Each structure stands twice: as C-alpha cells, then as structure tokens.
C-alpha cells in the first residue's frame, strides 16, 4: 500500500483543452514518478519544470501515452529529451502491420502498410525515435500490464487492433470495400448526424448525453487503475463508452468491486460523447435523490479543461458526476493537486472549491 501519493493535473491552457498529468507516490520507502500524457508542445517545458521543482528529481520512472492525439502527445518529446526516463509505455499501430494486413483492402505489402501507419501516427513515431536514440525501453500498455502501482484496464490487444481498422484515419478496410451503396449511404448519414447542443433548464438527476460516439483514437486510450494510500484511482485519458465498459469488465481481475472509486479523471475533458448514465452507474453508482451537502461528497472527479475552450467540460457531464455524489474540479487555467497519505506539504497550493452544480444542460 502506498505511503502517500500526489497526482497533479497540470494547466494546459490554449484555445482547446489538453491533458498533462504527473504522479509521485511512495510505496515501502520507494518513490516513483509517472508522467501521463504531455498536453501540447508548449506544455513540455512546464512538465519538466514541475517535476524538478515539486518532486525534486529529473528521473521519471514511467511515461504513459494514453493515445495519439496531439493534445496528449505534444509535450512528451520535451519530457523524453530533457528528463531521464525509465520506460515509455506507448501503443504503436505499425507494430501490428503484418497481423492487420488481411483487414485492409488496398494494401498487399506489410512494408507499405507499416509505412502508411507511421505516416498517420507521425507524432508517435517521433517519440519512438527519441526513445530509441536515448535507450529508453518501450513497452505496450495493453490490458493487464503493470505500470508501477497502476494496472492497465483497457484497451485489450484485440479491441485495439479493431480500433486501428475502424479509425477514419487509416486506409480503407476490407469491410468498407465490401459495403453496398446502401450501406455506404447509411454510414455517411450516421457520420453526418450532428445535433446542435442547445442549453436547456434541467431538474436534479436529469441526464442527457450525445447520441454520437467518440472517435476510434479516443477509444484507444489507456485506462489505468491504482490503489494508493487506500484510495481507488482511475485515470481515463479520452476513453469512450466502449473503453470504459471494457475496463469495468476487467475490474474483478484487479479486485475492484464496482461501483466504487475515490478519484476519477473525467474523460475527454468532459465531452458528452464519452460517458452515459449506464456507464457512470456502473463505475460510480446510481444517481442520488438530492445533492450532497458541501463537504459530503464521496469521491473527487477532476477534468482537464482550458478556460478558453468553450466546449469543455459540458454541463451535462459535470451534472452527471455530481448526481452520484462527486465533487467536480476543473483545471481552467490552474493546476490541480490531488493527494493522499502523508504527502509532502507544498507551499502556495491551497484547497480548491468544487464546481457549482449546473441547473441547465445541453439538449
């Protein structure tokens, strides 16, 4: 069991939201440092500075890339270059080109498919090149992998390969090539179905989420769970409903009885496409009859959201976490420290007030 932990959700303040998380914890006298995602390119120096100043080290045991989006990978090149890194945990689609080849209609060569996938996921290639040059070990964070005190809950290898094929960025799959014109029209209609989000008044407990699903890339997100200082902690990246369901299905394998978490990262900066009533019920329990009194919340939910980003977090998502007894905290131009056990004092970092409960939501 950890003697203490501190998880810092760093400020990623641009016109859109991003994720950059640093973690330090001590187990049996051994201290470990993790970096989970790196925000945009401009975020990288801030991550390194934060670790040096507040953790007193230049060594990072584990760097975890949850998925390929630039608001998660951008700053990690700086981290790999400037810090001493033990292991880089990163999924690389081109590593599975031979296995995937029969599933792509327009490719007959493993080398050509591998080159195409490297072209699509060029930011991951950059990180791979830095790691190889610096002798940093790269490992696959598939379901069941152990990253220090954390266990990967999703994605499984099989689902990850399916997501590579399903991605809108990858070459035409065999299934798409075989689709009839009517099938294609239906796929186009689904892709074009955009429902404008209008703000409407809502009563306590009302929940309305998007009918659209999040992207295949977001569904590739590495979901991690750990027990630190007797706190159950879930880091989600941009995981969508399928990833969160797969992770929940795996919970018994790590002795996690659901519902029940103490700290959770709200996925994808509070997007309405990543959660649902059913999934949140499974992870956090059913909606309460009324809002808990201040200080009576049963868990914390942290969302990385830029103040300049008008689309995140959505009211409907904040409401849903509060419905289940959560205290919701938003970065919004500030960094958030969540900690437990005998965590070291940190000057200038005080208590934060949870976000207010929105009395309206997106329709």
């Amino acid at each position: 069991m950890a003697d203490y932990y501190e998880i810092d959700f760093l400020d990623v303040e641009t016109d859109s939201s991003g994720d950059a998380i640093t973690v330090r914890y001590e187990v049996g006298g051994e201290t470990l440092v993790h970096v989970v995602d790196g925000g945009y390119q401009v975020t990288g120096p801030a991550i390194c500075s934060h670790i040096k100043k507040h953790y007193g080290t230049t060594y990072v045991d584990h760097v975890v890339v949850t998925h390929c989006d630039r608001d998660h990978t951008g700053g990690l090149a700086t981290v790999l270059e400037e810090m001493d890194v033990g292991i880089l945990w990163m999924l690389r689609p081109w590593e599975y080109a031979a296995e995937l080849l029969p599933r792509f209609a327009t490719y007959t060569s493993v080398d050509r498919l591998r080159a195409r996938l490297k072209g699509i996921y060029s930011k991951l290639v950059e990180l791979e090149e830095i790691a190889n040059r610096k002798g940093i070990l790269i490992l696959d964070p598939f379901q069941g992998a152990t990253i220090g005190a954390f266990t990967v809950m999703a994605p499984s290898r099989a689902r990850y390969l399916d997501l590579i094929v399903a991605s809108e960025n990858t070459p035409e799959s065999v299934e798409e090539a075989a689709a009839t014109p009517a099938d294609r029209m239906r796929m186009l209609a689904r892709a074009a179905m955009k429902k404008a989000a209008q703000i409407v008044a809502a009563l306590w407990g009302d929940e309305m989420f998007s009918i659209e699903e999040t992207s295949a890339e977001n569904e590739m997100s590495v979901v991690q769970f750990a027990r630190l200082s007797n706190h159950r902690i879930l880091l989600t990246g941009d995981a969508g409903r399928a990833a969160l369901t797969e992770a929940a299905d795996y919970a018994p394998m790590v002795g996690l009885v659901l519902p029940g978490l103490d700290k959770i990262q709200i996925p994808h900066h509070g997007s309405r496409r990543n959660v649902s009533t059913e999934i949140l019920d499974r992870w956090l329990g059913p909606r309460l009859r009324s809002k808990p009194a201040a200080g009576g919340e049963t868990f914390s939910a942290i969302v990385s959201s830029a103040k300049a980003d008008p689309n995140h977090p959505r009211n409907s998502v904040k409401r849903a976490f509060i419905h289940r007894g959560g205290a919701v905290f938003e970065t919004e131009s500030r960094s958030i420290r969540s900690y437990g056990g005998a965590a070291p004092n940190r000057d200038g970092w005080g208590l934060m007030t949870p976000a207010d409960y929105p009395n309206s939501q997106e329709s």
Side-chain angles (χ1 to χ4, degrees):
M1 183 174 294
D3 302 306
Y4 76 84
Y5 74 89
E6 49 189 336
I7 302 177
D8 294 304
F9 293 78
L10 302 185
D11 167 27
V12 180
E13 187 55 49
T14 66
D15 57 1
S16 58
S17 301
D19 270 333
I21 301 170
T22 64
V23 186
R24 178 172 67 163
Y25 58 91
E26 183 179 289
V27 181
E30 181 184 10
T31 302
L32 290 93
V33 174
H34 294 204
V35 171
V36 181
D37 290 334
Y40 294 95
Q41 185 174 352
V42 296
T43 316
I47 297 171
C48 298
S49 209
H50 180 88
I51 293 171
K52 292 172 186 176
K53 178 178 179 180
H54 295 294
Y55 299 170
T57 185
T58 59
Y59 186 76
V60 176
D61 296 270
H62 303 282
V63 171
V64 181
V65 185
T66 62
H67 65 297
C68 61
D69 287 352
R70 67 187 184 94
D71 59 311
H72 294 253
T73 60
L76 291 179
T78 301
V79 174
L80 295 179
E81 291 281 16
E82 293 192 8
M83 308 296 280
D84 297 319
V85 175
I87 302 174
L88 173 62
W89 295 85
M90 180 175 70
L91 295 173
R92 297 165 288 173
W94 57 90
E95 288 288 300
Y96 313 102
E99 187 173 349
L100 290 170
L101 185 64
R103 300 178 67 177
F104 287 102
T106 55
Y107 282 80
T108 56
S109 163
V110 171
D111 289 340
R112 286 187 61 238
L113 179 58
R114 183 182 295 113
R116 174 61 175 152
L117 292 172
K118 282 191 169 187
I120 293 167
Y121 298 100
S122 58
K123 189 61 183 179
L124 301 183
V125 172
E126 178 188 358
L127 299 180
E128 180 188 57
E129 290 173 348
I130 296 171
N132 288 339
R133 171 165 49 81
K134 295 193 67 177
I136 300 169
L137 179 64
I138 304 176
L139 295 179
D140 297 333
F142 283 127
Q143 186 180 71
T146 301
I147 305 175
F150 288 82
T151 299
V152 176
M153 309 291 283
S156 62
R157 190 178 189 279
R159 194 173 68 85
Y160 177 72
L161 296 183
D162 288 343
L163 289 166
I164 296 172
V165 177
S167 170
E168 293 180 359
N169 295 324
T170 49
E172 183 180 56
S173 69
V174 169
E175 291 84 355
E176 290 171 326
T180 66
D183 290 333
R184 290 180 178 274
M185 288 297 292
R186 282 192 290 272
M187 286 189 285
L188 288 171
R190 284 196 298 270
M193 189 166 49
K194 303 287 184 182
K195 184 176 181 180
Q198 298 179 339
I199 302 297
V200 296
L203 299 174
W204 170 265
D206 288 348
E207 295 183 352
M208 186 174 293
F209 301 103
S210 175
I211 60 174
E212 297 177 60
E213 298 294 330
T214 196
S215 69
E217 279 71 27
N218 287 341
E219 288 286 15
M220 294 177 188
S221 287
V222 176
V223 179
Q224 303 168 80
F225 170 76
R227 283 186 182 84
L228 299 173
S229 295
N230 207 32
H231 289 173
R232 298 157 297 177
I233 300 166
L234 192 74
L235 299 179
T236 62
D238 281 359
R241 295 161 188 156
L244 293 172
T245 297
E246 182 177 55
D249 290 343
Y250 192 74
M253 301 300 293
V254 296
L256 174 60
V257 178
L258 297 179
L261 292 171
D262 298 292
K263 306 282 176 75
I264 181 172
Q265 176 189 10
I266 297 177
H268 197 195
H269 322 296
S271 169
R272 293 195 308 148
R273 298 192 300 164
N274 291 64
V275 295
S276 68
T277 296
E278 295 74 20
I279 287 168
L280 292 179
D281 283 351
R282 190 170 180 190
W283 278 103
L284 303 170
R287 287 164 282 187
L288 305 179
R289 292 187 141 193
S290 60
K291 186 178 184 298
E297 297 89 356
T298 55
F299 67 91
S300 297
I302 300 99
V303 56
S304 296
S305 56
K307 193 171 185 177
D309 182 351
N311 298 316
H312 300 96
R314 293 296 194 179
N315 283 358
S316 54
V317 175
K318 289 196 290 185
R319 286 168 53 90
F321 282 86
I322 296 172
H323 288 160
R324 289 160 179 82
V328 172
F329 297 93
E330 308 159 284
T331 53
E332 303 282 316
S333 297
R334 62 197 171 189
S335 296
I336 294 176
R337 181 191 189 214
S338 182
Y339 60 93
N345 291 327
R346 191 184 294 176
D347 291 339
W349 291 64
L351 296 176
M352 289 186 59
T353 302
D356 292 332
Y357 177 71
N359 290 312
S360 60
Q361 67 178 335
E362 299 78 15
S363 63

